[in-house]
Amino acid sequence: MQDFTPSADVVGLYSCGPTVYSFPHLGNMRAYVFADVLRRALRWKGYPVRHVTNITDVGHAVADSDTGEDKLEVAAARERRSVEDIAVFYTKAFFDDLAALNVLPADEYPRATAYVPLMVEFAARLEERGVTYRLPSGLYFDTSKSPGYGTLAMMDVAGQREAARVDYVEGRKNKTDFALWRAEEQGVRRAMRWDSPWGWGAPGWHLECSVMSMALLGEHFDIHTGGVDHRELHHVNEIAQSEAYLDDGLPWVRYWLHNEFLVLNNAKIAKSAGPVPRLADLTEAGYHPMAYRLFLLGGHYRSQLDFTTQAVDAAQATLRRLIARVEPLRPLPVVTTFEGAVQAAGDAVDGDKAAVGYVEQLDAAISADLATPKILAILQESLRDPDISQQGLRVVVAAADGLLGLRLADLDLRDVDRRRSVSDLDPAEVEQIERLIVDRTQARKERDWSRADEIRAELEKLGVQVTDTPAGPAWELR
Ligand SMILES: [Zn+2]
């Protein structure tokens, strides 16, 4: 692990953003919650940050390859809408999810289509430098001219992996070479097309991130983030082309951070959920978006996280308990920096030593590669601590939430506990509940109290509350 030291007064932070051709799913959103925590950590340390997240609305070919149709064009054909409509619609869906997950807005959300002329200039400079070659299918970057190509991914370039998603391209010199410009095939007119020195066509996918980050953060900047799936291809190629473009012997970006995947084990969240559920499926099923955020923060960003119904149920229950515990402490102060937190804790009741201790623990945890599970544990511990003053506790809760972003200062318990109504259940669920109730009645008749309690606990897990009335047991959803 390396220590972070900023290179300028403002930390430049670039996060690879979404390709806006479909709804973002829960796994996609992990990358943005992770980048948000990183941003909050930098704020905690007192560093001003300029954060850029791109919106890919052109250039991302199906299967991440260099040939074939653009994802946006495929979506437009599928939905019988224009590519512009598709981009606008799914960009909004992405922003809605960011807002619901309490992700601090980036300073800029550049759209790739607005930067195509700069991308053409960038590729032309690479061509001047002699690190490219032309093929009928477009302009390609020659990775054999890039010293240290693939270092980021610790790739075995000698054995050059032919990753499943790197397709065969006629005439390509090295398997790892990639398109800077994708020329239109003869007789095929793309929906999105620009003129260039290499003919009509569209930019290669990797080009936009290099061009837009440099345009908005300067040629060199401090931190670049993205999902671990970008580490071996997209980011390796971004680095190769950027360093060839700058040709100044310096690393283009100083720190690369990648979040691991969310693993979905057939979690059944909602009837409407496709193979990979999205945030709206969770909220329709009665979970609060902050429960999903809490679930994500319960794992370290560099660890794979198993998404299961039980895990998100547990997160929802933890969120409910947290909010119920924190509500009486409100209003909370606004504490976003370590320095501010130490000062506020020191001011509390002539210096609340317990509170200062917790703030120091929070600082150690966020400094240790963003250890959010540890921060959650510290928060819980402070809430159980009999020796901390109310005022000190307010500071600790506010400081923890400045890092976690769980809306502890304003989330309403009634919103967290949005009741599901019986009509939301499908017939199989109703049948299951009623069978359990019959079994429980039978167990009680047989005076088998432990069995009856067991069944009650099972019903509680399903969110069902049973009341015994003279007319027999009645049930409702909590
Ligand atoms: Zn990118």
Side-chain angles (χ1 to χ4, degrees), residues 179-447:
L180 296 164
W181 190 259
R182 298 177 299 138
E184 249 172 19
E185 273 174 61
Q186 207 116 59
V188 181
R189 193 186 162 100
R190 287 180 175 277
M192 288 183 289
R193 60 203 294 270
W194 289 263
D195 200 3
S196 83
W198 318 284
W200 283 87
W205 171 38
H206 314 297
L207 199 50
E208 63 171 274
C209 287
S210 293
V211 168
M212 297 195 290
S213 61
M214 287 190 202
L216 295 165
L217 296 172
E219 289 185 338
H220 292 281
F221 55 94
D222 280 333
I223 309 177
H224 196 312
T225 74
V228 70
D229 50 329
H230 289 336
R231 194 176 54 197
E232 303 217 331
L233 183 74
H234 182 50
H235 287 169
V236 163
N237 291 347
E238 277 186 42
I239 291 170
Q241 68 195 5
S242 298
E243 295 187 351
Y245 174 89
L246 295 170
D247 200 23
D248 57 7
L250 296 171
W252 171 46
V253 172
R254 298 170 66 235
Y255 303 91
W256 291 82
L257 278 78
H258 296 99
N259 62 281
E260 256 295 349
F261 281 135
L262 185 73
V263 183
L264 289 122
N265 288 323
N266 305 319
K268 186 179 178 297
I269 294 304
K271 283 166 274 180
S272 62
V276 187
R278 57 193 185 98
L279 191 62
D281 293 316
L282 273 192
T283 50
E284 271 161 36
Y287 300 99
H288 195 278
M290 284 303 98
Y292 181 60
R293 185 170 172 119
L294 179 65
F295 159 74
L296 290 177
L297 300 179
H300 188 260
Y301 75 91
R302 276 190 295 107
S303 305
Q304 285 194 355
L305 199 50
D306 261 326
F307 183 86
T308 61
T309 313
Q310 290 91 319
V312 76
D313 278 342
Q316 175 83 8
T318 304
L319 179 69
R320 188 189 298 126
R321 282 195 303 271
L322 255 180
I323 299 296
R325 175 71 182 85
V326 167
E327 263 187 344
L329 297 171
R330 290 174 183 168
L332 297 177
V334 176
V335 184
T336 54
T337 64
F338 176 48
E339 212 172 297
V342 169
Q343 186 162 10
D347 289 346
V349 213
D350 302 326
D352 184 332
K353 268 197 201 141
V356 174
Y358 285 117
V359 167
E360 280 167 357
Q361 286 185 48
L362 291 176
D363 182 59
I366 197 69
S367 307
D369 200 15
L370 315 178
T372 52
K374 179 83 186 156
I375 294 173
L376 284 165
I378 296 163
L379 171 65
Q380 298 281 11
E381 199 190 321
S382 70
L383 289 167
R384 284 193 302 265
D385 189 338
D387 297 327
I388 192 169
S389 69
Q390 287 290 97
Q391 205 186 329
L393 185 57
R394 281 192 189 99
V395 173
V396 174
V397 170
D401 203 39
L403 294 167
L404 298 169
L406 289 171
R407 296 184 51 199
L408 298 182
D410 72 331
L411 201 59
D412 194 318
L413 194 56
R414 281 167 307 185
D415 287 342
V416 176
D417 253 337
R418 197 171 68 81
R419 275 166 189 265
R420 291 187 302 159
S421 71
V422 177
S423 62
D424 291 337
L425 300 174
D426 62 36
E429 287 175 288
V430 174
E431 200 182 300
Q432 184 196 6
I433 291 166
E434 291 188 333
R435 201 168 46 235
L436 284 169
I437 289 174
V438 169
D439 289 351
R440 176 173 166 274
T441 309
Q442 184 63 29
R444 285 165 64 93
K445 226 182 248 169
E446 291 164 9
R447 310 179 80 79

Side-chain angles (χ1 to χ4, degrees), residues 10-294:
V10 175
V11 174
L13 171 62
Y14 186 88
S15 301
C16 281
T19 301
V20 284
Y21 71 108
S22 65
F23 286 113
H25 61 64
L26 285 174
N28 300 140
M29 297 313 292
R30 187 177 187 192
Y32 309 106
V33 171
F34 150 63
D36 186 53
V37 171
L38 174 59
R39 189 163 160 204
R40 289 166 184 271
L42 292 165
R43 178 176 72 176
W44 174 258
K45 293 294 193 184
Y47 300 130
V49 178
R50 179 163 162 79
H51 189 194
V52 175
T53 300
N54 65 298
I55 302 288
T56 301
D57 57 355
V58 67
H60 197 165
V62 174
D64 298 343
S65 62
D66 282 337
T67 54
E69 286 178 287
D70 196 282
K71 284 185 175 181
L72 269 287
E73 291 176 354
V74 171
R78 183 185 65 222
E79 300 186 21
R80 296 186 187 167
R81 301 155 81 173
S82 68
V83 281
E84 292 78 13
D85 277 359
I86 291 288
V88 167
F89 181 81
Y90 290 114
T91 302
K92 182 181 179 300
F94 172 64
F95 285 149
D96 287 348
D97 280 7
L98 289 184
L101 289 169
N102 198 30
V103 169
L104 299 171
D107 297 285
E108 303 274 356
Y109 290 102
R111 286 160 175 77
T113 47
Y115 285 81
V116 175
L118 275 182
M119 293 187 222
V120 170
E121 275 177 35
F122 189 103
R125 180 141 143 200
L126 291 177
E127 192 171 37
E128 271 167 41
R129 293 210 194 284
V131 294
T132 65
Y133 55 92
R134 295 185 187 205
L135 291 176
S137 57
L139 182 70
Y140 285 80
F141 185 89
D142 184 346
T143 52
S144 68
K145 303 250 172 86
S146 167
Y149 179 78
T151 310
L152 179 76
M154 288 175 276
M155 255 165 37
D156 173 15
V157 183
Q160 280 180 341
R161 95 253 177 268
E162 180 114 34
R165 51 196 205 157
V166 176
D167 57 345
Y168 174 76
V169 176
E170 181 80 50
R172 192 165 52 184
K173 292 185 188 169
N174 309 289
K175 286 173 187 170
T176 46
D177 293 353
F178 56 91
L180 296 164
W181 190 259
R182 298 177 299 138
E184 249 172 19
E185 273 174 61
Q186 207 116 59
V188 181
R189 193 186 162 100
R190 287 180 175 277
M192 288 183 289
R193 60 203 294 270
W194 289 263
D195 200 3
S196 83
W198 318 284
W200 283 87
W205 171 38
H206 314 297
L207 199 50
E208 63 171 274
C209 287
S210 293
V211 168
M212 297 195 290
S213 61
M214 287 190 202
L216 295 165
L217 296 172
E219 289 185 338
H220 292 281
F221 55 94
D222 280 333
I223 309 177
H224 196 312
T225 74
V228 70
D229 50 329
H230 289 336
R231 194 176 54 197
E232 303 217 331
L233 183 74
H234 182 50
H235 287 169
V236 163
N237 291 347
E238 277 186 42
I239 291 170
Q241 68 195 5
S242 298
E243 295 187 351
Y245 174 89
L246 295 170
D247 200 23
D248 57 7
L250 296 171
W252 171 46
V253 172
R254 298 170 66 235
Y255 303 91
W256 291 82
L257 278 78
H258 296 99
N259 62 281
E260 256 295 349
F261 281 135
L262 185 73
V263 183
L264 289 122
N265 288 323
N266 305 319
K268 186 179 178 297
I269 294 304
K271 283 166 274 180
S272 62
V276 187
R278 57 193 185 98
L279 191 62
D281 293 316
L282 273 192
T283 50
E284 271 161 36
Y287 300 99
H288 195 278
M290 284 303 98
Y292 181 60
R293 185 170 172 119
L294 179 65

